[in-house]
């Protein structure tokens, strides 16, 4: 009796630690959940403003300020299916860019995501391309470039031209594809009487840190690929950061879903570096390792790329393959777990294009996984049947050797060996589910393909928590409960499905274990409430399939339904 009380107290303590310590553990280990894009109030679905949005997205004043800044300099319009904006002819800067395919919120009138902004405007963020040289006056940040045309489109590149007082003509030809990749070809024609040495460079600078949260499992911030490896850098480490000397690589800044990257010629040696700016901002840049000599009367050209857009998985891999950009797919922080995450993403994305709904695709993914694990589950139930059969003998051993724990363990292990029972076999399907669930969790959070994907009804974003909760009578009361109490309908369904699944399991003989199993579904309901609806949908579907699977396998192993028989007194002696 004392042992049971002791075990129960230990269980209660562990349950309290898990329940109250879980938010801190989740904040450190798991990426922060994006906020639900809607809330249910007054019986209606309302769109929640994006707290991480650029100031221009929500503030009329910020829009006017930016327009004032944009109007101060001559510009070339950028017009593609994926991007809108302009190139600043003063300094040849790409400093005005919005992503037309992505909105700040799910509202119909939501403004598009703004990625780049000019210096002097809120959230200044821009890229610049240029030359450095000895004995030559290269164009600078105040140079006004001349343009070959007023509009940059996928079919009409533009060429910017500037002439140096020392007799050189500098040109920047900018082309863009249908998505987010700029091709930047810089040339120098030396019309002077002596050779010159020039070094091409490119930079991307931002005045402020990203509003997205950088966490252990999802990097947000400076990034550099050099010498065949990706380097995820914290903002606080930029000031003292060391440069990377490499052939092949790139540098830039990554947000949760967006990326800017300056990409040098992958065949030439460059120096890549992150640094802070005099105004307290952050800069990623590269320059050629060795200057290029341009003889008198000759011309040289250097071609590089600049990416500014959404981190679409297939698109990043296409650029990596077709343009030879080293590890461009590492812009998404898959981590060491990518070997499982990426196959799950590609299969889930294929299912989505097949059925047209990511929620249905997650259900089909769950069915696929359970079918693959079905043979293992059969062995699990066979092992459970054997364990059920030896329970009376094991209980007798525990009673007989309760004063000698070491001898008790020896006798139990001998019983397992004699009866050919593996007590851990029943855990295997659950252990296999853990990496799959964590991989799906990261896929839902990291990939932009899941962003703002609806399922049905009030579920408008499968990558965010469920916004519908009974604490405000499912939105009929006009208030939003605190985040830690707002348990949604989907997590409640998860708890109910877990409850019925555990009811079908063979009842444990130990009273403490019975209490643990009775409490576990409702504890998991609280623990899973802040997670993405898509992950909860996976778990609910898995529970329902498990219930059906248990029903089928109980018919094959009816001994699991039989009550445990007590070992005869003679056998205990």
């Amino acid at each position: 009796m004392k042992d049971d009380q002791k075990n129960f107290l230990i269980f209660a303590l562990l349950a309290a630690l898990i329940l109250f310590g879980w938010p801190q553990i989740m904040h450190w280990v798991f990426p922060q959940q994006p906020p639900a894009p809607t809330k249910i109030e007054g019986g209606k679905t309302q769109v929640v403003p994006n707290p991480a949005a650029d100031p221009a997205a929500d503030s009329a004043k910020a829009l006017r300020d930016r327009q004032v800044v944009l109007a101060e300099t001559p510009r070339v319009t950028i017009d593609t299916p994926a991007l809108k904006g302009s190139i600043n002819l003063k300094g040849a800067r790409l400093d005005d860019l919005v992503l037309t395919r992505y909105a700040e919120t799910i509202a119909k009138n939501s403004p598009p995501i703004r990625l780049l902004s000019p210096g002097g405007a809120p959230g200044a963020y821009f890229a610049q391309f240029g030359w450095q040289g000895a004995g030559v006056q290269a164009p600078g940040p105040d140079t006004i470039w001349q343009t070959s045309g007023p509009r940059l489109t996928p079919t009409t590149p533009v060429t910017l031209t500037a002439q140096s007082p020392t007799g050189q003509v500098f040109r920047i030809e900018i082309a863009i594809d249908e998505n987010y990749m700029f091709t930047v070809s810089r040339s120098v024609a030396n019309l002077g009487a002596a050779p010159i040495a020039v070094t091409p460079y490119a930079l991307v600078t931002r005045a402020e840190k990203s509003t997205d949260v950088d966490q252990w499992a999802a990097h947000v911030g400076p990034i550099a690929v050099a010498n065949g490896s990706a380097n995820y850098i914290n903002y606080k480490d930029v000031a003292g950061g060391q440069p990377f000397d490499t052939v092949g690589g790139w540098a830039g800044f990554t947000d949760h879903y967006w990326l800017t990257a300056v990409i040098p010629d992958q065949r030439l040696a460059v120096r890549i570096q992150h640094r802070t700016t005099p105004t307290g901002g952050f800069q990623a840049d590269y320059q050629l390792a060795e200057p290029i000599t341009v003889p008198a009367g000759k011309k040289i050209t250097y071609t590089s790329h600049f990416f500014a857009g959404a981190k679409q998985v297939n698109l990043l891999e296409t650029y990596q393959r077709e343009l030879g950009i080293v590890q461009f797919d590492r812009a998404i922080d898959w981590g060491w777990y990518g070997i499982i995450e990426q196959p799950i993403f590609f299969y889930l994305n294929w299912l989505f294009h097949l059925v047209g709904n990511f929620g249905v695709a997650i259900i089909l993914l769950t069915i696929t996984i359970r079918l693959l694990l079905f043979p293992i589950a059969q062995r699990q139930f066979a092992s459970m049947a054997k364990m059920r059969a030896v329970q009376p003998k094991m209980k007798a051993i525990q009673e007989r050797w309760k004063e000698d724990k070491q001898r008790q363990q020896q006798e139990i292990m001998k019983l397992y060996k004699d009866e050919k029972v593996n007590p851990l076999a029943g855990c295997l399907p659950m252990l296999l589910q853990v990496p799959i669930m964590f991989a799906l969790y990261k896929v839902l959070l990291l990939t932009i393909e899941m962003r703002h994907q609806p399922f049905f009804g009030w579920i408008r974003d499968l990558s965010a928590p469920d916004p519908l909760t009974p604490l405000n009578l499912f939105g009929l009361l006009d208030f939003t409960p605190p985040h830690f109490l707002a348990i949604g309908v989907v997590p409640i369904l998860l708890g109910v499905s877990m409850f019925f699944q555990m009811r079908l399991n063979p009842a444990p003989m130990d009273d403490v274990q019975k209490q643990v199993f009775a409490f576990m579904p409702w504890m998991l309901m609280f623990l899973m409430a802040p997670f993405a609806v898509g992950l909860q949908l996976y778990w609910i579907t898995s529970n329902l399939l498990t219930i059906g699977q248990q029903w089928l396998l109980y018919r094959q192993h009816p001994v699991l339904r039989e009550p445990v028989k007590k070992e005869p007194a003679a056998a205990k002696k």
Side-chain angles (χ1 to χ4, degrees):
M1 184 66 178
K2 290 182 178 179
D3 286 342
D4 288 345
Q5 291 176 346
K6 180 181 176 182
N7 291 339
F8 181 76
L9 288 174
I10 292 173
F11 160 70
L13 179 61
L14 290 175
L17 287 174
I18 292 173
L19 191 60
F20 295 104
W22 181 253
Q24 284 71 31
I25 296 172
M26 187 178 69
H27 179 78
W28 183 77
V29 175
F30 298 103
Q32 181 172 316
Q33 302 288 329
T38 60
K39 60 181 178 179
I40 315 296
E41 287 187 353
K44 296 181 180 179
T45 300
Q46 300 179 8
V47 176
V48 177
N50 182 4
D54 180 88
D58 301 313
S59 167
K61 182 177 185 301
L63 279 171
R64 287 196 298 272
D65 289 345
R66 179 173 285 106
Q67 294 304 322
V68 169
V69 175
L70 292 174
E72 291 174 347
T73 55
R75 294 184 168 269
V76 172
T77 300
I78 299 173
D79 188 6
T80 80
L83 299 172
K84 302 289 182 186
S86 61
I87 302 171
N88 189 349
L89 293 179
K90 183 179 180 180
R93 289 179 174 178
L94 280 166
D95 64 357
D96 173 31
L97 209 60
V98 296
L99 313 183
T100 59
R101 292 172 178 166
Y102 297 97
E104 294 286 358
T105 70
I106 62 173
K108 292 182 178 180
N109 60 346
S110 173
I113 292 290
R114 172 166 288 279
L115 190 60
L116 301 182
S117 287
Y125 192 4
F126 57 84
Q128 185 173 321
F129 310 91
W131 300 86
Q132 295 175 334
V136 58
Q137 187 174 337
D142 295 325
T143 300
I144 304 297
W145 292 70
Q146 303 301 310
T147 178
S148 63
R151 194 178 188 85
L152 172 64
T153 72
T155 58
T156 56
V158 296
T159 300
L160 311 183
T161 305
Q163 185 141 4
S164 168
T166 53
Q168 290 78 37
V169 177
F170 293 85
R171 289 188 175 87
I172 305 176
E173 181 180 300
I174 303 176
I176 189 171
D177 63 9
E178 297 282 338
N179 294 297
Y180 309 111
M181 187 65 76
F182 295 82
T183 301
V184 183
S185 297
R186 285 165 279 173
S187 65
V188 180
N190 185 10
L191 305 183
I196 60 171
V198 291
T199 303
Y201 74 86
L203 62 86
V204 57
T205 181
R206 63 188 308 168
E208 303 166 356
K209 296 180 182 180
S210 172
T211 53
D212 295 336
V213 178
D214 179 31
Q215 296 192 34
W216 173 75
H219 176 70
V220 169
I223 180 173
V225 169
N227 301 310
S229 65
N231 300 272
Y232 300 106
I233 305 165
N234 294 323
Y235 280 105
K236 62 183 178 62
D237 297 329
V238 168
Q242 296 297 315
F244 300 97
D245 295 315
T246 182
V247 175
W250 49 276
F253 296 96
T254 176
D255 298 304
H256 196 94
Y257 294 118
W258 329 114
L259 172 72
T260 58
V262 285
I263 307 163
D265 188 318
Q266 300 292 283
R267 300 165 298 177
L268 302 179
V270 294
R271 168 164 286 193
I272 290 173
Q273 188 165 6
H274 284 88
R275 63 187 87 200
T276 54
T277 66
T279 57
F282 304 91
Q283 178 174 302
D285 59 60
Y286 72 81
Q287 64 178 9
L288 218 58
E290 298 291 338
I292 301 174
T293 299
V294 187
K298 298 296 182 179
K299 173 184 175 181
I300 61 100
T301 299
Y302 177 81
T303 300
S304 62
H305 293 88
F306 174 63
F307 179 93
K311 296 189 296 186
Q312 299 173 11
V313 176
N314 289 327
L315 187 60
L316 295 178
E317 294 198 347
T318 298
Y319 286 139
Q320 176 173 300
R321 182 177 61 255
E322 295 182 355
L323 299 180
I325 304 173
V326 176
Q327 291 197 336
F328 201 50
D329 62 338
R330 295 299 298 277
I332 298 175
D333 184 13
W334 296 108
W336 61 271
Y337 213 54
I339 192 171
I340 299 178
E341 294 163 17
Q342 288 176 292
I344 285 180
F345 164 77
F346 287 118
Y347 181 58
L348 185 60
N349 199 41
W350 177 79
L351 289 173
F352 165 68
H353 286 94
L354 187 68
V355 300
N357 184 291
F358 259 113
V360 177
I362 290 172
I363 293 173
L364 295 176
L365 169 71
T366 313
I367 293 172
T368 303
I369 292 172
R370 294 311 301 253
L371 287 174
L372 293 174
L373 295 179
F374 186 77
I376 299 174
Q378 284 182 305
R379 289 195 291 272
Q380 171 202 9
F381 268 70
S383 176
M384 288 173 62
K386 291 181 180 179
M387 282 294 296
R388 185 76 167 176
V390 302
Q391 281 281 357
K393 295 180 180 180
M394 187 164 61
K395 196 72 174 176
I397 291 173
Q398 291 171 343
E399 288 291 331
R400 182 177 182 183
W401 302 104
K402 62 182 177 181
E403 303 298 333
D404 188 348
K405 298 297 182 182
Q406 183 176 357
R407 180 64 183 273
Q408 182 186 110
Q409 290 300 317
Q410 291 174 350
E411 293 294 329
I412 289 176
M413 295 306 295
K414 183 177 181 299
L415 176 65
Y416 289 157
K417 184 177 180 180
D418 293 342
E419 299 289 343
K420 296 182 174 57
V421 171
N422 182 1
L424 299 179
C427 302
L428 185 58
M430 184 175 293
L431 292 176
L432 289 175
Q433 289 268 35
V434 171
I436 294 170
M437 288 190 63
F438 184 74
L440 178 61
Y441 173 79
K442 286 199 68 176
V443 165
L444 287 168
L445 288 184
L446 293 181
T447 56
I448 194 171
E449 288 80 357
M450 309 298 171
R451 180 180 184 262
H452 291 175
Q453 286 291 343
F455 182 33
F456 75 91
W458 72 94
I459 301 175
R460 305 287 293 277
D461 189 353
L462 285 161
S463 69
D466 184 0
L468 187 63
T469 172
L471 293 182
N472 61 2
L473 296 183
F474 305 103
L476 294 177
L477 300 180
D478 191 13
F479 82 98
T480 302
H483 176 70
F484 66 94
L485 290 177
I487 301 175
V489 171
V490 178
I492 292 173
L493 293 176
L494 171 61
V496 172
S497 67
M498 181 68 69
F499 171 78
F500 282 107
Q501 179 197 331
M502 289 189 172
R503 284 286 298 272
L504 286 176
N505 287 335
M509 297 180 63
D510 186 73
D511 290 336
V512 175
Q513 290 183 12
K514 290 179 182 178
Q515 293 168 340
V516 170
F517 286 121
F519 180 68
M520 188 177 295
W522 315 118
M523 183 173 68
L524 287 173
M525 179 182 71
F526 276 93
L527 296 183
M528 292 298 297
F531 282 79
V533 174
L535 187 65
Q536 297 165 3
L537 178 62
Y538 170 85
W539 202 339
I540 291 171
T541 306
S542 181
N543 288 343
L544 294 177
L545 292 174
T546 300
I547 290 171
Q549 189 176 22
Q550 285 174 321
W551 176 83
L552 176 63
L553 293 176
Y554 275 139
R555 298 188 65 182
Q556 298 178 1
H557 304 282
V559 67
L560 289 174
R561 283 292 192 183
E562 296 176 3
V564 176
K565 299 178 181 178
K566 292 186 177 182
E567 187 75 359
K572 294 181 181 181
K573 294 182 180 180

